[in-house]
Amino acid sequence: MLQASMAATVFHFGLWSNVRVKAKRLFFASGVRELRACRWREGSTLTSSAARRMFIEFFKERHGHRVVPSAPVRPRGDPSLLFVNAGMNQFKPIFLGTVDPRSEMARYRRVVNSQKCVRAGGKHNDLDDVGRDVYHHTFFEMLGNWSFGDYFKEEACAMAWQLLTGSYGIPRDRLYVSYFGGDRTLGLEADEETREIWLNIGVQPNRILPFGMKDNFWEMGETGPCGPCTEIHYDHVGGRDVAHLVNSDSSDVVEIWNLVFMQYSREADGSLRALHQHSVDTGMGLERLVAVLQGKRSNYDTDLFTPLFSAIQQHFRCPEYRGQTGVADKSKVDMAYRVIADHIRALTVCIADGVYPGMSGAQLVLRHILRRAVRFSTEVLKSTPGSLSKLVPTVVHILGDTYPEVLKETDRIMDIINDNEAQFLSSLKQGRRVIDRTLQNMNGSTVFPGSVAWSLHCHLGFPLDLLRLMVEEKGVAMDTEALDRLALENKKVRAQTQASEHDSCVDLDVKVLPELQGLGITYTNDLPKYQYSLGQDGRYVFLPCHATIQALICGQGLVPEVEKGQRCGVIFDKTCFYTEQGGQDHDQGYFTQEILPDVLFPVEQVHLVGGYVVHQVTATERLKRGDQVQLFLDEGQRLACMVKHTATHILNHCLRQLLGDGVEQRGSHVSADHLRFDFSVKRSLSIQQLQEIEKMIRDIIEGNEPVYIEELPLKVAKGIPGLRTVDEVYPDPARVVSVGVPIADLLKGHNNKPASVELCCGTHLLMTGEIQDFVVVSERQIAKGVSRIVAVTGAQAKEAREAGRVLECEVDSLRVRLTAASPSLPGIHRLSKEAGLLIDAVENTAIPQWQRRELSNQLKSLQRSSNTMIRKLEIAEAAKKVQSLLKKHTNRSLVVDTVDTDSISVVMKTVNQYSDQAPGVMVMLLSHQESGKVLCACQVPKGFSAFSANDWALAVCAHLGGNAGGSDTVAKGTGSAVDIAEAIQWARNFAEGRMQQR
């Protein structure tokens, strides 16, 4: 396919003369109209809204493009992207040919829009550059026009030049263009066609510059649509020749428009596959365009940002913005303005589109963006808490008319930013002290310790890029080598099973239990782990815990103190950390010494051994028995575990309600990411049962029912009607967890509805609404009579539903195309292959399990139908070929000939049918492909002794540099040949020679 595409490109080169005529006609005809229009001139007051509107109207009114709205920044069911990073993302199904033929998108030919984009994380990541210069952004608006199998290179270039030099009136002598200079390793030639187009439009040769894959071959992600591109660059100074500054990260010469010619799809193995049609995908950043149109050297000096700068100065009461960069911006105030203005736009748009700061994927990236903004606002501009969210209304004012979705979410966006800011400020304060103290103790070293940076990253949630920035501002470099090593070690540790880690700790601690008891050290009071509440604002409040070190375990026994760098177990008199038990992961977090509060001791593991809670740490400073400490939980991880644990109880209850009292729990595990629940059942749940389970659980979530928790004497607790227990030893008194019904009512027998009631030592929510959503993403039998459910909650559940909807649309699209498909063998083959790919996608994507089974059944049915159609078409095609061959080879005992097909199955069926209609004939058929490949099949009569079919096929295919296999009567194989006539003659000579030897 790639060769065919390259051949098409060569064909285009032969049409340069036509291109020249077309481009000139298109450009000059439209150019006359443009010159009559009101055009911008440098220094005008054209607003960003007007610039955006002019772009849309130019393609809509003058070139017949359809206006489509911006997609949300969260990709629609596309796991290859963290965010929508280009205007073309929503049109990916069109480029790949997978668009639902019944959808509106299937009718798109020419479209135009302004798309919200985020480039932070993933292949396109501008986060580190934001603030340092005056033209990078995490969030930006991408103006774009697209052609889907309609116009191509010459029209796209001409339209772009018309708009820039005509409608916008940008001086031509300020513009440079680049084009793809080729890549030998991929076998891609230079795009001389595009160069010729620009020459004929009138661009001077010295302003048309070739660049390689990095600059002029555009790819959406690691996989997906891609192709060569041509870019238009603007010189803010003018009156000079600065071709050497193009693509050199100069703030004076910047790219403003990228025209991508979508010709290929990047596959998972790195290869390029030619797309089914050529398309055009252009993207022009509104921010950079407006800077040009308003005569500004900086994107941040335009009306997209100046209202934000005014709001920052008003709310933060900081020095005014001066527009300085680099060494001139010594105080970093101007950099802070740019970071905050950019990041608050990204946060506002992302949260409005359903992406929230979190712990993985796009959510983790957004968390980094928010924390970076908080750090600059508090550390550099000295703002007060809550100031950042006050900028949201200004963003809404600037963008709301174009993107009305942000108008609806203003209050919620502000609340989310405030919550996350408050959480980070606490960590930031502690982290800054750690950094300052570390710098003081470096004794003149210019390399910041990687171990300290890694601790801050893992245990306080500091983004590594933020840490690098903070230490670089102190004139110190980060020890990246140590960071990489620690990241690798951490990956290895996480790969180990938790069971082996637990056993290691238990073996060590059991040896010192008698010694602990002999010293009179009391058991750890871990009741503080349950000391949390719901504040008036609905957020969970976890209280810090003050404690005393009772014992230190190092090596094979107790020690009075441990030195910095030693790994040890720490036992406190009390702790707020939850130990791994009841199927719930242990808590994460750290503790500090009261005499040295800026030193973090990250807690690596927490285990309960013989009544003592052992906190495994690697000492970051000296520790000794009797030290006073304060313990801090990772509140996000704890809350996520609470969500999953309460959801597990509800799942257990609903399974029993649906399937009967015979359902018994056989195991469970709760982590921050997912919950796993094993239970007794004769067979896997049906699609209807899975749907009903989810509905029952969502009803309880939506009811926001209270969760009642109380300690009762074990005997009393076990007398509660409907109580669920598992086969384990319970403490006395026992902790009872009831969802929706007060425990007092349960004891009195006043409960009028079935309720989830269990004995449980885990940590739970106080209201079920915090679960938000629930989706079973996997359900399968792991042993006879035991099934395992894996489920997700909250945002992960919503993402699973969205992914399921996307796959459902793709399956529906395949069904329609297969039903409406003309009886073409190549076409049915393609649809059958697509069914196979969709089966893999359905099996390996996190979607509702009931939907997975529905879609799998549908796809298997479609695949069976397509295979039946293929078989019938192949038999019919073979029958036609046999009739032609029979007429050609009447009364011959040896037939060697060619057939025209690209299917070895057709070759085989033709050989079989020929032998059926001409018994006793030795027949070999070859099919010669355009690539030079040869398909071979043969058959000899049963009992024929001169040679076997396998011998014949092996000899011929070996002669052709290939291989073959089969039986005495039937065989097939492949090879390659330039001259098929020579191959036929060789095969005939082989057979005749063997028969003569007989």
Side-chain angles (χ1 to χ4, degrees):
M1 297 179 72
L2 183 55
Q3 289 180 343
S5 177
M6 291 178 177
T9 302
V10 172
F11 177 71
H12 278 301
F13 291 166
L15 297 180
W16 276 354
S17 58
N18 291 336
V19 170
R20 184 180 299 114
V21 173
K22 284 183 181 179
K24 285 184 175 180
R25 286 178 179 172
L26 180 62
F27 177 70
F28 289 114
S30 299
V32 172
R33 294 193 298 269
E34 295 299 339
L35 289 172
R36 294 172 182 166
C38 179
R39 304 193 302 173
W40 164 88
R41 282 291 178 261
E42 185 175 23
S44 72
T45 56
L46 189 69
T47 65
S48 56
S49 295
R52 187 193 295 113
R53 184 172 59 252
M54 287 177 66
F55 181 90
I56 300 295
E57 290 177 353
F58 173 85
F59 286 100
K60 177 186 176 183
E61 304 297 335
R62 298 182 182 275
H63 296 288
H65 287 61
R66 177 175 184 165
V67 181
V68 297
S70 170
V73 295
R74 184 179 63 179
R76 292 167 173 164
D78 188 345
S80 67
L81 293 174
L82 291 174
F83 298 98
V84 165
N85 59 19
M88 59 77 63
N89 289 173
Q90 66 170 304
F91 307 119
K92 184 178 177 181
I94 303 180
F95 291 121
L96 293 177
T98 60
V99 64
D100 186 340
R102 301 171 302 174
S103 69
E104 193 72 14
M105 186 178 289
R107 294 189 283 275
Y108 289 173
R109 290 298 175 266
R110 300 182 175 202
V111 300
V112 61
N113 84 340
S114 179
Q115 171 67 49
K116 297 174 294 184
C117 297
V118 174
R119 289 190 177 174
K123 183 176 180 64
H124 299 283
N125 184 5
D126 291 339
L127 181 57
D128 289 348
D129 295 320
V130 172
R132 296 178 184 273
D133 56 35
V134 295
Y135 52 88
H136 274 101
H137 306 285
T138 52
F139 165 76
F140 63 98
E141 297 180 69
M142 183 73 88
L143 304 173
N145 60 288
W146 290 269
S147 163
F148 306 114
D150 190 352
Y151 61 81
F152 201 44
K153 295 181 180 181
E154 52 267 37
E155 294 92 340
C157 293
M159 290 176 190
W161 200 252
Q162 291 163 23
L163 177 63
L164 294 180
T165 64
S167 293
Y168 290 139
I170 297 174
R172 298 185 183 190
D173 61 7
R174 294 275 188 105
L175 300 176
Y176 296 81
V177 297
S178 62
Y179 68 96
F180 180 52
D183 188 278
R184 291 184 179 180
T185 60
L186 291 175
L188 297 175
E189 299 293 332
D191 189 3
E192 295 294 337
E193 179 185 8
T194 296
R195 181 177 183 275
E196 184 74 9
I197 290 169
W198 286 120
L199 285 171
N200 286 284
I201 283 176
V203 181
Q204 296 301 308
N206 64 330
R207 290 174 177 260
I208 308 173
L209 311 170
F211 289 91
M213 293 287 293
K214 178 178 178 292
D215 295 301
N216 279 84
F217 194 94
W218 198 91
E219 302 186 60
M220 182 186 68
E222 297 299 331
T223 60
C226 57
C229 63
T230 182
E231 298 173 337
I232 302 174
H233 300 255
Y234 177 79
D235 177 15
H236 279 286
V237 178
R240 56 184 185 160
D241 183 355
V242 286
H244 64 283
L245 293 182
V246 172
N247 281 333
S248 66
D249 288 329
S250 168
S251 60
D252 291 333
V253 181
V254 297
E255 171 206 336
I256 57 173
W257 205 348
N258 188 7
L259 283 60
V260 182
F261 307 124
M262 288 293 187
Q263 298 175 240
Y264 310 112
S265 175
R266 175 74 71 182
E267 302 299 288
D269 62 1
S271 64
L272 293 175
R273 175 175 61 85
L275 294 173
H276 68 292
Q277 67 179 11
H278 287 182
S279 299
V280 172
D281 159 33
T282 83
M284 177 159 57
L286 177 67
E287 291 77 10
R288 293 190 183 184
L289 172 67
V290 172
V292 171
L293 299 183
Q294 294 182 359
K296 305 296 184 182
R297 299 287 294 275
S298 162
N299 297 356
Y300 293 92
D301 290 338
T302 69
D303 64 346
L304 288 167
F305 289 94
T306 51
L308 273 170
F309 286 177
S310 297
I312 290 172
Q313 189 174 16
Q314 174 189 349
H315 294 300
F316 292 20
R317 301 187 182 279
C318 55
E320 65 179 9
Y321 179 72
R322 298 166 298 168
Q324 296 179 336
T325 60
V327 295
D329 184 25
K330 187 176 181 180
S331 65
K332 303 296 181 183
V333 166
D334 292 346
M335 181 179 180
Y337 265 95
R338 292 187 290 267
V339 167
I340 293 166
D342 171 89
H343 289 7
I344 195 63
R345 283 167 30 111
L347 288 163
T348 299
V349 170
C350 287
I351 294 172
D353 280 350
V355 182
Y356 312 114
M359 297 301 294
S360 64
Q363 295 179 335
L364 180 59
V365 173
L366 196 65
R367 183 174 183 248
H368 288 177
I369 291 174
L370 187 146
R371 292 189 163 198
R372 192 166 185 253
V374 170
R375 188 262 164 167
F376 274 93
S377 65
T378 58
E379 295 285 302
V380 180
L381 299 187
K382 310 300 181 184
S383 69
T384 56
S387 298
L388 191 62
S389 68
K390 294 177 181 177
L391 303 177
V392 172
T394 305
V395 178
V396 172
H397 174 73
I398 296 170
L399 300 177
D401 289 344
T402 306
Y403 309 109
E405 55 272 18
V406 301
L407 288 169
K408 306 173 185 177
E409 303 289 343
T410 303
D411 291 341
R412 187 165 63 89
I413 294 168
M414 295 178 69
D415 289 342
I416 290 173
I417 291 174
N418 279 332
D419 289 348
N420 281 271
E421 179 184 26
Q423 191 177 76
F424 182 51
L425 283 176
S426 175
S427 298
L428 185 64
K429 183 178 180 181
Q430 182 70 33
R432 182 163 54 86
R433 290 207 302 263
V434 171
I435 291 173
D436 290 343
R437 185 174 182 277
T438 303
L439 291 170
Q440 292 173 7
N441 295 333
M442 283 171 54
N443 298 322
S445 173
T446 58
V447 180
F448 191 85
S451 57
V452 178
W454 185 254
S455 175
L456 288 167
H457 172 64
C458 291
H459 303 289
L460 283 182
F462 269 62
L464 290 176
D465 64 315
L466 174 56
L467 283 167
R468 287 191 183 94
L469 184 63
M470 292 175 72
V471 300
E472 285 173 4
E473 289 174 356
K474 304 290 187 179
V476 174
M478 183 68 74
D479 187 350
T480 55
E481 183 177 341
L483 272 178
D484 293 341
R485 184 179 67 255
L486 288 166
L488 181 61
E489 291 174 358
N490 182 65
K491 184 177 180 181
K492 291 178 180 178
V493 169
R494 286 188 287 108
Q496 297 174 359
T497 64
Q498 293 181 339
S500 64
E501 294 174 337
H502 183 270
D503 291 343
S504 170
C505 176
V506 170
D507 290 343
L508 173 67
D509 291 336
V510 165
K511 297 175 183 178
V512 298
L513 279 175
E515 189 176 357
L516 288 170
Q517 295 165 353
L519 292 173
I521 295 176
T522 58
Y523 295 139
T524 309
N525 173 15
D526 63 351
L527 290 180
K529 67 187 179 186
Y530 299 127
Q531 292 175 357
Y532 53 88
S533 60
L534 274 174
Q536 293 182 350
D537 56 1
R539 297 199 307 267
Y540 280 81
V541 179
F542 299 87
L543 298 178
C545 177
H546 298 274
T548 303
I549 296 179
Q550 291 197 109
L552 294 166
I553 307 168
C554 189
Q556 300 299 312
L558 298 178
V559 294
E561 62 181 42
V562 294
E563 296 296 329
K564 178 179 179 180
Q566 286 185 286
R567 194 164 188 262
C568 62
V570 185
I571 298 175
F572 304 107
D573 62 333
K574 57 183 175 179
T575 182
C576 59
F577 278 71
Y578 184 85
T579 60
E580 184 175 352
Q581 54 183 322
Q584 179 177 327
D585 273 355
H586 65 79
D587 280 337
Q588 298 175 9
Y590 62 94
F591 65 85
T592 62
Q593 296 168 305
E594 289 192 357
I595 60 171
L596 206 59
D598 56 339
V599 177
L600 278 65
F601 293 82
V603 176
E604 300 164 2
Q605 298 287 330
V606 189
H607 300 293
L608 179 63
V609 184
Y612 299 101
V613 176
V614 182
H615 306 71
Q616 290 189 358
V617 303
T618 299
T620 49
E621 282 293 345
R622 176 182 295 180
L623 282 174
K624 63 181 184 296
R625 185 177 174 182
D627 280 351
Q628 302 296 303
V629 302
Q630 187 168 2
L631 287 75
F632 298 89
L633 291 177
D634 181 332
E635 297 179 2
Q637 188 262 355
R638 161 67 82 84
L639 183 57
C641 285
M642 289 163 55
V643 166
K644 305 299 188 301
H645 207 150
T646 302
T648 300
H649 280 218
I650 297 172
L651 170 63
N652 191 359
H653 166 69
C654 291
L655 282 170
R656 195 173 190 181
Q657 289 296 114
L658 180 67
L659 303 176
D661 292 341
V663 173
E664 295 292 341
Q665 179 177 335
R666 290 290 182 260
S668 69
H669 184 263
V670 173
S671 70
D673 296 327
H674 67 274
L675 66 90
R676 187 187 73 224
F677 188 79
D678 300 341
F679 60 101
S680 61
V681 66
K682 291 182 179 179
R683 60 185 64 86
S684 288
L685 303 184
S686 67
I687 291 173
Q688 293 73 22
Q689 287 172 328
L690 287 167
Q691 290 174 319
E692 185 61 25
I693 281 293
E694 288 190 2
K695 181 181 183 303
M696 293 169 68
I697 295 173
R698 286 201 303 274
D699 287 344
I700 294 174
I701 294 171
E702 291 169 4
N704 197 23
E705 298 185 18
V707 179
Y708 300 93
I709 304 172
E710 188 174 339
E711 279 197 349
L712 295 174
L714 183 59
K715 185 176 181 180
V716 174
K718 286 192 172 182
I720 295 175
L723 179 76
R724 303 301 304 272
T725 61
V726 294
D727 186 18
E728 66 178 51
V729 178
Y730 290 96
D732 191 2
R735 194 171 173 83
V736 181
V737 179
S738 172
V739 177
V741 179
I743 294 173
D745 289 350
L746 294 172
L747 292 170
K748 296 175 183 177
H750 293 168
N751 54 312
N752 298 319
K753 65 174 184 177
S756 166
V757 190
E758 294 190 39
L759 299 182
C760 182
C761 62
T763 57
H764 286 270
L765 298 173
L766 303 178
M767 303 292 291
T768 62
E770 184 70 25
I771 301 172
Q772 299 178 10
D773 200 1
F774 183 97
V775 167
V776 175
V777 294
S778 174
E779 190 272 337
R780 63 185 178 88
Q781 290 252 310
I782 59 173
K784 187 175 182 179
V786 178
S787 194
R788 169 171 291 175
I789 279 178
V790 177
V792 293
T793 61
Q796 289 174 293
K798 290 179 173 57
E799 290 170 4
R801 294 188 194 282
E802 175 64 18
R805 284 190 286 269
V806 171
L807 286 171
E808 184 177 24
C809 289
E810 293 185 15
V811 173
D812 288 341
S813 169
L814 176 63
R815 180 187 301 106
V816 170
R817 286 178 285 142
L818 189 59
T819 304
S822 58
S824 160
L825 191 55
I828 300 300
H829 268 299
R830 284 194 297 271
L831 292 177
S832 178
K833 182 179 180 181
E834 184 176 336
L837 293 174
L838 275 175
I839 287 174
D840 289 339
V842 167
E843 286 300 317
N844 297 310
T845 304
I847 62 174
Q849 179 68 8
W850 66 263
Q851 190 173 36
R852 188 191 320 281
R853 290 184 181 160
E854 272 193 351
L855 296 179
S856 293
N857 292 338
Q858 294 172 23
L859 285 168
K860 289 174 184 176
S861 176
L862 291 174
Q863 202 167 47
R864 286 193 297 269
S865 298
S866 65
N867 290 340
T868 299
M869 296 172 67
I870 288 171
R871 186 166 55 253
K872 290 180 178 179
L873 288 170
E874 287 180 345
I875 291 172
E877 183 176 337
K880 293 179 182 179
K881 297 183 185 302
V882 167
Q883 295 307 310
S884 176
L885 289 167
L886 286 170
K887 291 179 182 178
K888 182 178 179 181
H889 299 289
T890 305
N891 298 324
R892 292 187 181 179
S893 60
L894 173 64
V895 173
V896 181
D897 208 338
T898 62
V899 290
D900 183 18
T901 180
D902 59 0
S903 169
I904 188 64
S905 180
V906 172
V907 180
M908 283 292 294
K909 286 181 172 62
T910 306
V911 166
N912 292 338
Q913 290 189 34
Y914 192 102
S915 296
D916 289 344
Q917 298 187 43
V921 175
M922 293 165 289
V923 56
M924 173 175 281
L925 298 178
L926 305 175
S927 176
H928 196 207
Q929 311 296 296
E930 287 186 8
S931 63
K933 183 179 181 180
V934 176
L935 308 178
C936 170
C938 65
Q939 188 164 337
V940 300
K942 188 175 182 179
F944 186 67
S945 59
F947 56 87
S948 68
N950 187 53
D951 293 339
W952 197 10
L954 274 172
V956 172
C957 291
H959 175 71
L960 299 177
N963 203 353
S967 66
D968 289 345
T969 56
V970 181
K972 63 180 179 179
T974 61
S976 59
V978 175
D979 186 355
I980 193 64
E982 186 276 334
I984 292 173
Q985 187 59 50
W986 197 94
R988 184 180 291 113
N989 291 342
F990 175 89
E992 290 174 345
R994 286 296 184 92
M995 287 189 294
Q996 290 173 2
Q997 293 174 9
R998 183 173 56 170

